[in-house]
Every structure is written in C-alpha cells, then in structure tokens.
Amino acid sequence: MIIDGKKFAQELRNEIKKEIESIKKTRNTTPGLTVILVGNHTPSEIYVRNKELSAKEVGITSEVIRFESSITQEKLIEVIHGLNKDKKVHGILVQLPLPPHINGSKIIEEIDPKKDVDGFHPVNVGNLSSGKDSLVPCTPLGSYLLIKNVQKNLTGLEALIIGRSNLNGKPMAQLLLKEDCTVTIGHSKTKNLKELCQKADIVVAAVGRANLVKGDWVKEGAIVIDVGINREEDKTEKKGYKIVGDVEFDSVVKKARAITPVPGGVGPMTIACLLNNTLKAFKNIN
Ligand code: NAP
C-alpha cells in the first residue's frame, strides 16, 4: 500500500473547513493564525505563502507580519507579546530560521503556549512527554496520523525512529510511546542501525540523507514513513534535480506493508496539521 498523503491531507482539510464553517455560523467568529516572517529567506517565503493560502482555504483568518532581518530581538518579543494578548489571534507561528542575532529558543518561549501552533514551546514539549494533551509539532503529528490510518491499534509494536531532532524524531517517539509501541531512536552515532531497522514493525526516517533506508533494512510487512526531503541530481529533470526521501522507495516498497512516497506522503500532512493545530488552539482558548 502506498500511503496517499495528499488525499489524506485533503480529507483532514475538508473536516477542518466544515468545523470552521459551523463555528462561523453558530458563534460568528473564526480561528486566527498569525505567521511572523523575518528576512528574505526564499524557502521560508514559499512555506509562509503556502501556509497563508491553505489557512484561507479552510476559513482561518490568516495574517503574515513581515520584518526586515535587522529587527531586534526585543522588538520581535514585543510583537509576540501583543499577539499573545490579541483575542482574534489563536495561533502564532514564527517561521524559522531566524537571523543569527536572534535567539530562536528565546523567541519560541515568549509565545503563549496555548497559541504555539508549531508545538515547540517547552510547555507543549513537556506536556507531550508527560502524556498530556498538547499542541504537537506538525510533521510528526502528520506522520502519526498516517500510521494510525494504516493501523489503529499499535500496542506492543516495535518502532524505530531514525533522527532525534526536536522538530521530528523526539516528538514522533513520544507519540508512538503514547500508543504503547516499544520505541527506539536511532541517530548519527547509532552503531547497528540496519539491524535495529530489520526488527522494526514501524520505521520513521527523519534524517535528511537520501535513500539511507534500503530494502534489505526493512522487515517484511513494516509500516515505513519517510519524512526526509532531499535533493538528488537528475539531469532528466528541468531543474537538474529531483526530490527524494530518506528511504530508497523502489526497494523498500517491495517489503513494506505501507509506505509514504516522497513527494506526496508526509509533506502535505504538515500544513494540514498546522491548520488542525490552529483549530485546536481556538477551541482550547474559547
Ligand atoms: P535534523 O535536525 O538535521 O536532524 C537529523 C537527524 O538525523 C539527527 O538526529 C541526526 O543525528 C540524524 N542523522 C543524520 N545522519 C544520520 C545517519 N547517517 N544515520 C542515522 N541518523 C542520522 O533534521 P530534521 O529537521 O529532523 O529533518 C529531517 C528531514 O526531514 C530533513 O530531510 C528535512 O528536510 C525533512 N523534513 C520534512 C518535513 C516535511 O514536511 N515532510 C518537515 C520538516 C523536515 P544526530 O542527532 O546524531 O546529529
């Protein structure tokens, strides 16, 4: 089974849209999302534009506040404090990376945890690791929903997460732990990654290394989620490259019970989960 992330994300967006329409009718209000963009980082510009368009599509009132890269940390914090108090704003997202003179962790800590739709605030990180309800980072949340769509009951399954970033690997591990999986986290210093992978019922690769996970790494019938986004030179493509994941699709697809393609797997779920988190933040606040 090739997991159709695009289709699943569209279904999630349809549900969110329906719920927002009903909120609008009954309470005459809509969830609001504010994205802060600092500087002229081209990929960030594209991500923010996609987030803004997707939010509007489901009926979320969205606003992008742009600043020159010369903005001071103090000014940025002042803006965040204003948004924390603003009753029309339910989700605040600061697009990363920030310029080097701004401390990204400090900025995230200034966001009201109830409005932290990226799920990066220490309160949300702590709540997730304590098994409490929290806003969860969008990419691992999307990966988790795709896994649950393949198999509802994950109790006792062996899960290997490759990658231990705060953005992906660690929250993913917490989500699967909460589902009673036996979770192993691999990283660049792990010695027996291939053997660990061969035992796993669920493999989530969030590494950033093209085609790291090969067919002979994967147990027959495993669920394989490929978070990686890597450029690989390809002269047949107009741009001179193509996007590939951390999993060697052609060999792993023959072994896996279910696998996400790249592109079209986890990627579309990330934005859908941001919309989901904004709606959740709205419901928690109101
Ligand atoms: P990151 O912060 O660079 O973390 C990468 C992790 O992979 C680290 O824990 C690193 O180990 C580990 N690693 C590196 N090389 C390894 C190797 N050869 N074997 C085993 N582990 C290795 O990356 P990230 O932000 O989590 O992103 C991971 C990938 O997901 C990237 O390709 C990124 O573009 C993609 N991504 C996709 C989406 C989406 O929407 N689909 C969203 C975000 C990110 P150490 O900790 O030991 O260094």
Side-chain angles (χ1 to χ4, degrees):
M1 168 190 181
I2 297 171
I3 300 170
D4 189 344
K6 253 189 186 164
K7 181 166 165 257
F8 194 80
Q10 189 56 54
E11 284 166 12
L12 183 58
R13 281 142 80 133
N14 292 346
E15 277 170 36
I16 295 167
K17 190 173 179 184
K18 241 192 231 161
E19 196 169 343
I20 292 176
E21 274 164 8
S22 140
I23 291 171
K24 207 171 174 178
K25 260 188 216 146
T26 52
R27 295 159 64 180
N28 198 27
T29 179
T30 51
L33 170 68
T34 297
V35 179
I36 296 176
L37 179 60
V38 180
N40 307 307
H41 184 243
T42 310
S44 294
E45 289 272 0
I46 298 168
Y47 294 144
V48 166
R49 174 136 188 79
N50 286 341
K51 286 170 185 172
E52 191 184 14
L53 288 175
S54 308
K56 283 194 174 133
E57 220 176 84
V58 296
I60 290 173
T61 310
S62 81
E63 175 196 26
V64 179
I65 308 181
R66 291 183 162 76
F67 293 108
E68 296 289 329
S69 58
S70 57
I71 186 174
T72 63
Q73 181 163 303
E74 291 67 34
K75 176 69 191 160
L76 200 52
I77 291 175
E78 201 183 300
V79 172
I80 290 171
H81 287 176
L83 294 171
N84 285 345
K85 286 189 211 128
D86 189 335
K87 291 208 157 51
K88 293 193 291 296
V89 175
H90 308 92
I92 304 169
L93 184 155
V94 179
Q95 185 65 43
L96 300 174
L98 289 167
H101 67 279
I102 297 177
N103 179 339
S105 310
K106 169 83 183 133
I107 292 299
I108 286 162
E109 282 168 26
E110 296 300 326
I111 298 173
D112 180 345
K114 288 200 198 85
K115 298 189 178 187
D116 165 41
V117 283
D118 255 343
F120 295 160
H121 192 286
V123 167
N124 283 315
V125 175
N127 281 342
L128 177 63
S129 56
S130 321
K132 291 184 197 151
D133 185 52
S134 69
L135 288 164
V136 176
C138 303
T139 304
L141 178 60
S143 305
Y144 165 80
L145 293 175
L146 291 178
I147 296 170
K148 287 285 283 182
N149 194 45
V150 175
Q151 184 167 330
K152 237 189 163 77
N153 183 0
L154 306 177
T155 302
L157 296 186
E158 299 260 358
L160 173 70
I161 321 288
I162 315 178
R164 56 174 162 180
S165 70
N166 293 335
L167 179 79
N168 282 308
K170 285 180 193 155
M172 189 70 232
Q174 296 297 349
L175 288 167
L176 292 180
L177 206 52
K178 220 170 155 182
E179 288 293 324
D180 297 324
C181 288
T182 304
V183 179
T184 305
I185 306 179
H187 47 77
S188 69
K189 310 289 186 293
T190 301
K191 286 186 180 144
N192 53 342
L193 199 58
K194 181 176 172 181
E195 288 89 272
L196 291 171
C197 198
Q198 285 168 334
K199 285 191 244 158
D201 304 300
I202 299 172
V203 179
V204 180
V207 188
R209 299 275 178 278
N211 302 318
L212 175 79
V213 178
K214 316 267 189 246
D216 63 347
W217 286 37
V218 174
K219 181 173 165 180
E220 197 81 43
I223 299 172
V224 180
I225 304 294
D226 191 352
V227 180
I229 301 176
N230 310 290
R231 277 188 187 189
E232 195 179 64
E233 195 185 295
D234 185 345
K235 296 211 168 92
T236 64
E237 294 282 326
K238 237 187 183 170
K239 293 177 272 186
Y241 67 87
K242 62 176 178 183
I243 298 295
V244 298
D246 293 338
V247 173
E248 191 182 70
F249 187 85
D250 291 346
S251 59
V252 176
V253 73
K254 293 179 190 143
K255 303 281 285 292
R257 166 180 165 207
I259 180 170
T260 57
V262 175
V266 173
M269 288 301 287
T270 299
I271 289 192
C273 286
L274 170 67
L275 309 176
N276 191 64
N277 278 354
T278 307
L279 177 58
K280 182 181 169 89
F282 171 88
K283 290 195 280 191
N284 286 348
I285 291 167
N286 288 280

